[in-house]
Amino acid sequence: MSLKMYALIMSFVLQIDSMKYVIIGAVAGGASAAARLRRLDEKAEIVIFEKGEYISYANCGLPYYIGNVITDRNKLFVQTASAFQQRFNIDVRVRSEVVSIDAVEKVIKVYNHNSGDTYLETYDKLVLAPGAEPIRPPLPGIELDGIFTLRNVNDTDYIKSYVSQKSVKRAIIIGAGFIGLEMAENLHDLDLKVSIIEMGNQILAPIDYPLASMVQGHIRDKGVDLRLNEAVVGFEKSDEGLLVQLKSGIVLATDVVILSIGVRPDTRLALSAGLTLGSMKGILVNEFLQTSDPSIYAVGDAIEFDNPITNKSMITYLAGPANKQGRICANNIVLGNQYVYHGAINTAIVKVFDLTVEIGRAHV
């Protein structure tokens, strides 16, 4: 730690009389912010609310646990709630869903999924890290048994259990992005007959078409039924299993469907707090990761900021930037707005069977 940072920490901490920091969301950015807050402020009361059962897990590993590449479920977790609480002296409340924010009174309303109780909690500074939610279009039959999205550990457990217990032999993946292709590979490696339905004219929309064509050929060489320029219009249940109806009139029978259509920022709490959204419908933050309310900061999949190359507003659905944002956000909360977040350019990498595809989304 530099002398300058040490001096800043001491000057601010000495001025603060037991601040209360509340973080909503505890996967990547939220957990990083909480840990950094504790390192900067030993006296503060820090509370994390997570509506799910688990904190700080590896989203990228979820398809590989389903496919038995990762055989030990515990390896998905960076920290457990109890270990995090003990190590950092932070009040971690899982299965506790924040349902609204009163930004004027600095009060949140929390629903406890275990007890069914609803209660209020105050804060001095609030960090929003609600993440993103999978898109489930209102198609006929989309709520049928056997149709899943993959976003968290519970989703993973449901899919893995369903594939095993139902003796699934066929799978249809809708959407050919990161998760769709990873799920296709892992289900194929479980000896399932796999089809991928993609509405666009190529997989992995951010990459150039010639590169996409090479990867598409590789996918088909592996025996996966890849259908481009094709849209799903509905689902039905029949004696043959799930029927997936395509816009072209083709009907495909399957045992399980994985929706990988995409995600969108979860901004419900931000809207309840009256925070400003950006042009991409994410929570708008400044260079200090501060929202339109000076007492509320935001990090992770739900925020929007300018791409440092194109200067166009964008959202990043990646854990690396979220973790960095969490640390910068904590610095600014405790030390005053001293540290600037310069953005991300959304480069990523994905394994597709025997190929590795690097993706850069910074198009000038």
Side-chain angles (χ1 to χ4, degrees):
M1 182 186 297
S2 69
L3 288 175
K4 180 182 177 182
M5 173 170 276
Y6 179 78
L8 278 169
I9 292 172
M10 292 307 298
S11 64
F12 278 92
V13 169
L14 288 173
Q15 296 173 29
I16 297 170
D17 183 19
S18 189
M19 293 286 285
K20 183 175 182 180
Y21 307 126
V22 168
I23 299 113
I24 301 173
V27 178
S32 295
R36 183 65 176 161
L37 282 168
R38 173 56 73 218
R39 290 188 177 103
L40 294 173
D41 187 349
E42 294 183 359
K43 297 193 299 181
E45 179 183 359
I46 303 174
V47 187
I48 305 180
F49 293 93
E50 169 56 49
K51 64 181 178 182
E53 295 181 51
Y54 308 100
I55 73 163
S56 196
Y57 54 85
N59 296 76
C60 296
L62 301 182
Y64 297 95
Y65 174 63
I66 292 172
N68 292 331
V69 176
I70 298 173
T71 56
D72 184 353
R73 185 174 178 274
N74 289 328
K75 291 189 180 298
L76 295 173
F77 302 100
V78 180
Q79 285 275 2
T80 65
S82 59
F84 195 84
Q85 184 161 323
Q86 184 175 7
R87 179 180 179 186
F88 295 106
N89 187 26
I90 290 173
D91 185 356
V92 182
R93 304 183 193 177
V94 295
R95 291 185 54 78
S96 297
E97 183 175 0
V98 178
V99 294
S100 66
I101 301 170
D102 184 337
V104 175
E105 298 297 329
K106 293 188 175 181
V107 172
I108 62 172
K109 182 185 290 187
V110 185
Y111 174 72
N112 185 315
H113 284 274
N114 290 327
S115 67
D117 295 333
T118 300
Y119 63 95
L120 302 179
E121 193 79 32
T122 62
Y123 66 86
D124 293 310
K125 297 289 184 180
L126 179 66
V127 178
L128 289 178
E133 55 186 357
I135 296 171
R136 291 182 69 97
L139 298 175
I142 199 165
E143 299 302 329
L144 286 171
D145 190 35
I147 301 176
F148 300 95
T149 57
L150 178 60
R151 187 64 186 168
N152 54 43
V153 176
N154 284 340
D155 295 339
T156 306
D157 290 338
Y158 294 147
I159 295 170
K160 192 173 180 68
S161 175
Y162 190 91
V163 169
S164 173
Q165 294 180 9
K166 302 287 186 179
S167 299
V168 168
K169 302 297 183 185
R170 304 164 296 178
I172 289 180
I173 314 296
I174 301 175
F178 291 98
I179 298 298
L181 295 184
E182 290 172 347
M183 280 302 303
E185 176 181 347
N186 279 279
L187 293 177
H188 174 273
D189 288 348
L190 292 177
D191 294 326
L192 273 62
K193 181 182 177 182
V194 177
S195 297
I196 303 173
I197 312 299
E198 169 55 49
M199 187 166 58
N201 67 343
Q202 68 170 73
I203 64 167
L204 298 171
I207 70 175
D208 293 334
Y209 185 78
L211 181 58
S213 296
M214 292 173 56
V215 183
Q216 287 159 192
H218 181 64
I219 291 170
R220 289 180 171 128
D221 287 343
K222 291 294 183 179
V224 174
D225 175 26
L226 173 61
R227 298 175 184 241
L228 303 172
N229 297 302
E230 188 66 273
V232 176
V233 296
F235 307 91
E236 286 185 6
K237 198 80 171 177
S238 78
D239 293 338
E240 299 179 60
L242 278 169
L243 299 182
V244 180
Q245 302 162 340
L246 306 183
K247 190 174 183 180
S248 63
I250 295 172
V251 177
L252 301 176
T254 189
D255 302 310
V256 66
V257 172
I258 308 296
L259 298 173
S260 183
I261 300 169
V263 296
R264 59 188 163 213
D266 186 347
T267 58
R268 288 170 292 184
L269 288 175
L271 289 172
S272 79
L275 303 182
T276 301
L277 302 187
S279 59
M280 301 297 291
K281 304 303 180 184
I283 304 171
L284 193 63
V285 294
N286 62 17
E287 67 270 33
F288 306 114
L289 298 168
Q290 193 174 34
T291 70
S292 53
D293 183 314
S295 296
I296 303 177
Y297 291 71
V299 299
D301 294 355
I303 72 169
E304 131 176 15
F305 51 86
D306 288 344
N307 183 295
I309 295 177
T310 65
N311 293 319
K312 293 181 179 179
S313 196
M314 61 176 283
I315 296 171
T316 295
Y317 300 113
L318 296 169
N323 285 318
K324 183 176 182 178
Q325 291 159 16
R327 293 189 292 270
I328 292 174
C329 164
N331 287 345
N332 288 329
I333 288 173
V334 176
L335 306 175
N337 289 338
Q338 300 280 335
Y339 294 86
V340 171
Y341 179 63
H342 296 288
I345 58 175
N346 272 12
T347 57
I349 195 165
V350 61
K351 176 181 176 292
V352 185
F353 291 101
D354 302 327
L355 298 180
T356 302
V357 185
E358 188 173 355
I359 298 170
R361 298 181 182 175
H363 299 286
V364 179

